[in-house]
Amino acid sequence: MLMNHNANGRTPKNQSGFSMIEVLITVLILSFGLLGMASLITTGMRANSTAQYRSIATQQTLDMAGRMRANLAGVRAGSYDDITAGIPVANDCFVNECDAGEITTYDQAQWNTTNAAVLPNGTGTVAIDAVNGGFLITLMWVEKDRVGNADPTCPDGTPADRNCFVTRISP
């Protein structure tokens, strides 16, 4: 039996089926689709990382706000008016009896130690909000995607590679 012959015995001039160019175009279109999917997955993972850090920053802000509410004597004395990003040496106020100022130093040490552990290069500050009253709690951390782009929510003088989370509280 002849494969390329019609019933009348002649060879057809047009072949049916896929040509090599059609297969290559299909592979090209499929490749662009797969690249788009890979880009979508990468963007989603990056957004998930940012959301995780913002969630941690929210919890750390609530932690400092709770510490301030627990030490209202220290708030009234002005001990929380200018907490820096450093980690001071502090007495262990769980073991020893501390006054309001020592509790503030202990809170700063514990809080910024935790910030450094849970956020990449994480630091936190607390300052008086002279314009609106209350306090501004600012958390800062480094994210890989923020290379050279300054975060507009960061205070003046903050390095450009930092993300900031600023919250105003009134204890």
Side-chain angles (χ1 to χ4, degrees):
M1 178 171 175
L2 295 173
M3 300 284 277
N4 290 332
H5 287 66
N6 286 347
N8 60 8
R10 290 189 291 168
T11 305
K13 293 184 181 184
N14 294 331
Q15 292 184 351
S16 61
F18 291 107
S19 70
M20 186 59 92
I21 291 178
E22 290 171 329
V23 171
L24 290 174
I25 289 172
T26 303
V27 168
L28 181 70
I29 291 171
L30 185 63
S31 298
F32 280 125
L34 291 175
L35 283 174
M37 291 290 289
S39 174
L40 185 64
I41 290 170
T42 303
T43 302
M45 288 173 54
R46 191 175 307 128
N48 189 31
S49 174
T50 300
Q52 177 186 7
Y53 291 142
R54 290 205 177 271
S55 178
I56 290 169
T58 301
Q59 292 302 317
Q60 287 303 103
T61 299
L62 293 173
D63 178 42
M64 180 49 84
R67 290 174 185 269
M68 292 172 73
R69 288 184 182 111
N71 186 13
L72 287 176
V75 171
R76 288 186 193 106
S79 300
Y80 290 92
D81 290 359
D82 188 27
I83 291 183
T84 62
I87 301 173
V89 176
N91 290 331
D92 187 355
C93 292
F94 279 120
V95 176
N96 303 318
E97 190 172 323
C98 296
D99 64 13
E102 291 172 325
I103 291 173
T104 302
T105 305
Y106 178 76
D107 287 346
Q108 178 183 359
Q110 293 295 307
W111 187 58
N112 271 324
T113 299
T114 304
N115 289 338
V118 298
L119 292 168
N121 294 325
T123 59
T125 62
V126 179
I128 279 230
D129 185 0
V131 176
N132 299 313
F135 294 87
L136 288 175
I137 299 175
T138 304
L139 279 138
M140 295 170 269
W141 67 93
V142 174
E143 283 193 41
K144 291 183 253 179
D145 297 335
R146 186 173 289 285
V147 178
N149 297 326
D151 186 346
T153 61
C154 288
D156 292 337
T158 304
D161 65 342
R162 301 262 172 173
N163 270 2
C164 293
F165 184 81
V166 181
T167 306
R168 190 178 74 79
I169 66 149
S170 182

